[in-house]
Amino acid sequence: MLIIFLVTFIGLMGFGIILPLFPFYAERLGASPEIITLTMAVFALGQFIASPFWGRLSDSIGRKKVLVISLIGSIISYVMLAFAETLTMVLLSRILSGLMAGNISIAFAYVADITDEKNRSAGLGKVSAALGLGFMTGPAIGGFLAGSDIENANYVLTALAGAGINLVAMIGAILFLKESLPDDQRKPIDGLFKIFKKETFKPGKSILALALSGLFFYSGMSLMEAIFPLWANDLFMYGPSHIGSVFFMLGLISVIIQGGLIGPLTKWLGEIRLVQTAAVFMMIGLSLIGSAFNLLILWLGLFFYGCGAAMFNPSLSSLVSKSAKPNEKGLFLGQYQSACALGRILGPTFSGVLFSQVSVSAPLFTGALMGIPVIVLITNFALRRQNEGIE
């Protein structure tokens, strides 16, 4: 568990390092808010395409090999970004990075391999904490390297630092990570590209409601994340280093909840109630952020938002993994991650338009509304399980 925790942490640190300054990077190249958020959406597009493929491939050849391949691709994408001089090159680098980011489902499948159902939420919480820790330290490092002055931010150094961090993760995976999926539990490689199977969505086995919940929740999250740097700069004059401090706080909340509290919370409330609570917290958080007229309300909203985001993924991932056979966990978790990535496509696609054409806070209030269908879907899922006699 320690090794997959460290590899996931380092990999997400490399991803997070570019977050505080990427919108300003694209803006320097002449992009409007609409184009900036669309550029961020292409990352999620790549993740949407790749997540079920990586998951299914790992069901056949093992988790470790797929993780190493994807980390090599991530290194290449950040080198491309470092030397990008046009928006086209930026787009290509972000698409490649998104394709490689589909490996997040591999980390969750790895943990599902080595934990039983009783301890799965806690195990998934630990790897989610690694994501949060990387998400915390990466933006902080990126903001520090870039500085607070948008005009003089060092984009090349920051992108190369992301490549270097992913290189460390790759070496760590090669040298120290043991394969978690035994040979006798692997699926044949044939049919690899038949990712979405009809039988996946049969009654009693369906993860459709869970996948849709992920889609709506991450649509709400990404509506905020895609526009937040520009929004915070517009209202509070926040630069890269300030944005880095925001992501640092959000990552810290994730580490505390996912690394230590998610196990006890799951035993107390159960995964379904935790998902519902996460949706409510996201709605409160985004509503507060959108209506913030001072820093106190802004950071209070960020706190609620961070708590909701931290509780959601390990709880819903656990529900998805419990719906799968041992040799289908990678596929199911890949499909779920793909639905989440689709939400990360839809959110940024509309975020810049809402920001420019409606109001600067419109993306935040729209994101808050995304919590409503999550609550409805999970409640219906729970009622169906209850009717079928499933605990």
Side-chain angles (χ1 to χ4, degrees):
M1 179 69 77
L2 177 62
I3 300 302
I4 191 64
F5 178 93
L6 291 174
V7 169
T8 305
F9 158 62
I10 295 171
L12 261 290
M13 190 197 307
F15 162 70
I17 202 169
I18 201 70
L19 288 178
L21 71 156
F22 180 76
F24 306 120
Y25 190 7
E27 191 174 44
R28 176 183 285 187
L29 294 175
S32 65
E34 293 93 336
I35 298 300
I36 290 171
T37 53
L38 280 174
T39 302
M40 298 176 75
V42 299
F43 174 91
L45 176 62
Q47 192 176 25
F48 168 72
I49 295 170
S51 287
F53 174 79
W54 290 132
R56 175 63 180 86
L57 183 62
S58 75
D59 288 335
S60 296
I61 68 172
R63 317 298 188 200
K64 178 176 177 176
K65 292 177 183 176
V66 175
L67 191 61
V68 170
I69 292 170
S70 62
L71 286 169
I72 292 172
S74 292
I75 295 168
I76 296 171
S77 73
Y78 281 100
V79 173
M80 288 174 61
L81 181 63
F83 298 104
E85 295 183 352
T86 65
L87 278 175
T88 300
M89 185 60 69
V90 170
L91 281 168
L92 290 175
S93 71
R94 299 315 289 160
I95 291 173
L96 178 59
S97 185
L99 289 170
M100 299 304 111
N103 65 13
I104 292 174
S105 63
I106 308 304
F108 282 94
Y110 189 102
V111 173
D113 290 338
I114 62 175
T115 57
D116 56 29
E117 290 198 359
K118 182 178 180 181
N119 298 306
R120 186 150 307 148
S121 287
L124 292 170
K126 286 182 172 63
V127 76
S128 294
L131 300 177
L133 189 60
F135 196 69
M136 175 180 74
T137 55
I141 295 171
F144 172 77
L145 292 175
S148 58
D149 185 0
I150 297 174
E151 297 298 325
N152 298 309
N154 194 331
Y155 302 111
V156 175
L157 176 62
T158 308
L160 288 178
I165 290 172
N166 275 281
L167 177 63
V168 172
M170 183 196 72
I171 294 172
I174 292 172
L175 295 180
F176 303 111
L177 190 65
K178 295 181 180 180
E179 179 54 55
S180 64
L181 187 65
D183 291 342
D184 59 358
Q185 292 187 9
R186 298 185 186 183
K187 300 188 75 170
I189 196 72
D190 59 298
L192 176 62
F193 292 97
K194 296 178 181 179
I195 302 299
F196 290 96
K197 304 184 302 181
K198 291 182 180 179
E199 58 264 30
T200 301
F201 302 107
K202 285 183 179 179
K205 190 182 178 183
S206 175
I207 64 162
L208 182 58
L210 303 181
L212 287 174
S213 297
L215 186 152
F216 281 110
F217 191 90
Y218 280 95
S219 292
M221 284 184 62
S222 61
L223 276 161
M224 178 271 195
E225 291 174 354
I227 207 66
F228 183 79
L230 299 178
W231 177 88
N233 180 257
D234 188 68
L235 269 67
F236 296 101
M237 299 299 294
Y238 272 20
S241 61
H242 302 102
I243 304 300
S245 68
V246 169
F247 284 115
F248 181 90
M249 189 272 278
L250 294 175
L252 180 61
I253 292 173
S254 293
V255 171
I256 293 172
I257 291 178
Q258 296 173 344
L261 298 181
I262 196 68
L265 285 172
T266 302
K267 292 179 181 178
W268 177 37
L269 297 174
E271 288 101 337
I272 289 173
R273 287 184 181 175
L274 274 179
V275 172
Q276 293 169 329
T277 302
V280 171
F281 273 37
M282 181 188 73
M283 293 171 68
I284 295 172
L286 291 180
S287 297
L288 287 172
I289 296 169
S291 58
F293 55 86
N294 59 39
L295 291 176
L296 176 62
I297 296 176
L298 169 63
W299 284 87
L300 182 62
L302 288 168
F303 173 77
F304 275 100
Y305 170 82
C307 289
M311 288 187 289
F312 182 82
N313 197 39
S315 303
L316 198 55
S317 295
S318 179
L319 287 174
V320 172
S321 71
K322 289 178 179 179
S323 302
K325 296 177 181 178
N327 63 359
E328 291 183 328
K329 290 173 186 172
L331 174 62
F332 274 42
L333 286 165
Q335 290 175 340
Y336 160 65
Q337 291 293 339
S338 189
C340 295
L342 180 58
R344 291 189 179 277
I345 296 170
L346 296 175
T349 299
F350 295 101
S351 189
V353 176
L354 291 169
F355 178 84
S356 297
Q357 304 299 325
V358 181
S359 74
V360 292
S361 293
L364 303 171
F365 292 124
T366 304
L369 293 175
M370 294 297 102
I372 296 173
V374 175
I375 295 172
V376 172
L377 284 163
I378 291 299
T379 301
N380 288 338
F381 177 80
L383 291 173
R384 196 197 70 196
R385 281 167 60 98
Q386 188 177 28
N387 292 336
E388 293 174 352
I390 302 174
E391 295 296 329

